[in-house]
Amino acid sequence: MMKESSVNVLESLPVEMTEIKVSSLGNKLSFVGYKKDSATLKGKLEPYLFLLPTIFLFAMFMYYPFFKTMYLSMGLTNARGHLVEFIGFQNYIDILSSEEFKNSLIITFKFVFYTTIPSLLIGFFLALLANNRVKFGKLSNIMFSVPMAISSASAAIIWSIMFHPTIGLFNNIFKTNIGWLVDPNWSLFSVSLVTTWMNVGVNFIFLYAGLKNIPRELIESASIDGAGYFKKLFTIVMPMISPTLFFVVFMDIMNSFQSFGQVKIMTAGGPGTSTNLLVYSIYKDAFFNGRFDMASAQSIILFIIMFVIALIQFRFEKKGVHYS
Amino acid sequence: MRNKKNKIILTIINIVVGLIIIVPMLYALSISFMTPDEIFTTPINILPKGLYLGNYEQVLNTIPVLTFLINSFIVSTTVTIGQILTSSLSAYTFVFYEFKGKRFLFMAIIATMMIPSEGVIISNYLTIGSWEMLDSYAGMIIPFLTSAMGIFMIRQFFLTVPREFKEASVIDGCTSFQFFCKILMPVSKPIVGALGIYIFLSTWNQYMWPLLTTSKEEMRTVQIGISMLQSSEAQSFGMILAGIIIILIPSIFIFILGQKQLVEGMTSGAIKG
């Protein structure tokens, strides 16, 4: 409110006076300097013109479909995805009371837990290693981060072959006889392992960039004061990169909830329903069973879950994250 | 003396850990050069006996890899350029203009980051279908021509550009759009480069959307093409992995070229709250 009223005052002044005002007010009001622009009709329309493509695209492919999904979730749809009968919240009631959905939900939460924590720890460990400034640093940085360049499809196929019971790498190296992807006790672990590997690269990049942003002097002065490695790690490094850690955890959780390619390729939700993540169940309902209504309702439930988790995280951020 | 010894140990640790991380890729590369007999023995061979190229030949005979690569390249490049244009123009408007509804529009855009792609993908599929754009480049490209994350990242960077830049250039007779193209974009190279690499890779690696919207073989992208190899009847591991190596080469090449840029872009203020 304050800002707006001060703009109006300035606009009524002659141009030369505005210039003086602006310079005397300093940075806080520097946008007043574009008064000339915003005085003309063209200048007034310009920002909207610049935003037009973005707004159109978001309206068309984010807001419209999101509301449509909400709408479809409250009815019965035919095979072509058109709503034929409005039934209110019946789909939600059916889903929330079904055993299959409960199973999917539990699996999804386990999966998020199994992937987020290891990816964060490994990514952080790699970032600490890379921050040591050693020889061949560039080479190891590339090796640490290259998983982010690999698609979920490629990663899933390579790992499926590594998980092969007889000729796969794992059973041969560890001399085990585990059905990594065909044993329901192991399948979720195996898919989580692949997903963790896929996340490690991007986590490393973010955390490494975060570490590089910490002023060297800060750590050096702590060394002079006699602080050991771990003391420095917990009292300086961790608080300094807490915004990045927060961002990485947020990103990983959101990505884990939406993991699809690896499940589709490696296990197709199986064996049984042992890797039937929520997203895979949505895909199956929509494109195998032709139940767009049920799929839409599950999407909305997924959205609500992610939204609540995001809210909790941002609440936590206010307490636990230190912004300098 | 002790310091030097530590450095050597750390270097070795870095390299060893790095190699462990890329084991899946080395494994794929190694198997892609093995003959079927070499693959199906126990205990397994870790390295191929020679440079057997039969698997690569078989890939080229089974699926139109070149077509898939071209499709992926067209889609990824267009999406990258489009997203950078819309994101930077929007970020520019949000940082350098005051207008009615600015806060609301910005919040409305940022809020879309909360919407999971599954919440919109079904409706988008139906929309693209009703526009008769299934099996077309347009259908694969248009929904991805802007992104909240891109706008947010570039905005964070633009906020660090002194406002006086614009004032000075306007006094020098630049129009607002000229200032954006000729001055602002060039100084934003690190962040735009980092974002560009990120967009290119994530589009190149897209799986669900191209899987849904394409059914004709000549329109498929590399990711879908590669899973076709897996489900093809031959089920030859050597061939599948050779296919993967072929489609990994472009993305890894771009990644190695841009990795430094990625780190620099991120240290230049992109993710600071």
Side-chain angles (χ1 to χ4, degrees), chain A residues 46 48 54 63 69 151 197 258, chain B residues 21 90 97 100 108 117 119 223:
Chain A
E46 219 169 41
Y48 300 105
T54 303
Y63 282 102
T69 301
S151 67
W197 182 77
Q258 301 183 63
Chain B
I21 302 246
S90 310
Y97 281 88
K100 276 211 180 83
S117 53
Q223 307 303 335

Side-chain angles (χ1 to χ4, degrees), chain A residues 147 150 155 159 192-201, chain B residues 21-22 24-25:
Chain A
I150 317 288
W159 283 77
S192 307
L193 186 63
V194 181
T195 312
T196 301
W197 182 77
M198 289 162 58
N199 287 345
V200 156
Chain B
I21 302 246
I22 62 165
M25 291 148 84

Side-chain angles (χ1 to χ4, degrees), chain A residues 78-279:
Chain A
N78 62 16
R80 304 184 63 200
H82 294 299
L83 193 102
V84 288
E85 196 193 329
F86 188 81
I87 56 167
F89 287 96
Q90 192 57 45
N91 287 330
Y92 290 91
I93 295 167
D94 289 350
I95 289 169
L96 292 173
S97 59
S98 83
E99 276 306 309
E100 201 190 332
F101 176 76
K102 260 180 227 158
N103 176 53
S104 281
L105 200 61
I106 292 169
I107 291 171
T108 307
F109 275 108
K110 275 189 187 166
F111 175 78
V112 170
F113 186 75
Y114 290 164
T115 53
T116 308
I117 292 176
S119 332
L120 180 72
L121 292 179
I122 299 172
F124 190 49
F125 170 70
L126 296 178
L128 288 176
L129 275 185
N131 208 30
N132 279 328
R133 293 189 173 180
V134 294
K135 274 191 180 152
F136 308 111
K138 270 185 194 162
L139 180 71
S140 51
N141 282 359
I142 285 176
M143 292 198 287
F144 292 165
S145 48
V146 84
M148 73 177 281
I150 317 288
S151 67
S152 58
S154 315
I157 294 172
I158 297 176
W159 283 77
S160 310
I161 297 176
M162 287 170 41
F163 283 136
H164 192 280
T166 50
I167 61 148
L169 192 66
F170 285 109
N171 276 349
N172 277 287
I173 283 192
F174 302 124
K175 305 277 177 244
T176 46
N177 192 16
I178 295 170
W180 298 95
L181 295 175
V182 291
D183 181 344
N185 296 320
W186 282 94
S187 50
L188 188 63
F189 169 82
S190 308
V191 176
S192 307
L193 186 63
V194 181
T195 312
T196 301
W197 182 77
M198 289 162 58
N199 287 345
V200 156
V202 72
N203 285 2
F204 162 73
I205 289 273
F206 275 109
L207 292 168
Y208 177 56
L211 286 182
K212 280 182 71 167
N213 273 339
I214 300 176
R216 288 253 148 197
E217 311 85 64
L218 212 60
I219 294 178
E220 273 157 20
S221 69
S223 303
I224 294 167
D225 291 346
Y229 184 80
F230 286 99
K231 178 138 197 243
K232 277 184 282 181
L233 186 65
F234 287 108
T235 57
I236 300 172
V237 175
M238 300 278 271
M240 285 296 282
I241 64 160
S242 57
T244 316
L245 283 171
F246 173 78
F247 179 79
V248 166
V249 172
F250 178 72
M251 187 181 62
D252 280 349
I253 290 181
M254 294 297 141
N255 282 341
S256 293
F257 269 110
Q258 301 183 63
S259 296
F260 172 74
Q262 58 272 47
V263 178
K264 161 111 177 31
I265 289 171
M266 296 177 75
T267 61
T273 54
S274 60
T275 55
N276 195 22
L277 299 181
L278 213 44
V279 172

Side-chain angles (χ1 to χ4, degrees), chain A residues 24-44:
Chain A
S24 63
L25 284 172
N27 268 343
K28 255 191 183 167
L29 280 176
S30 56
F31 56 83
V32 180
Y34 321 125
K35 199 195 124 283
K36 269 186 226 156
D37 264 4
S38 57
T40 62
L41 183 66
K42 184 176 159 279
K44 269 186 183 146

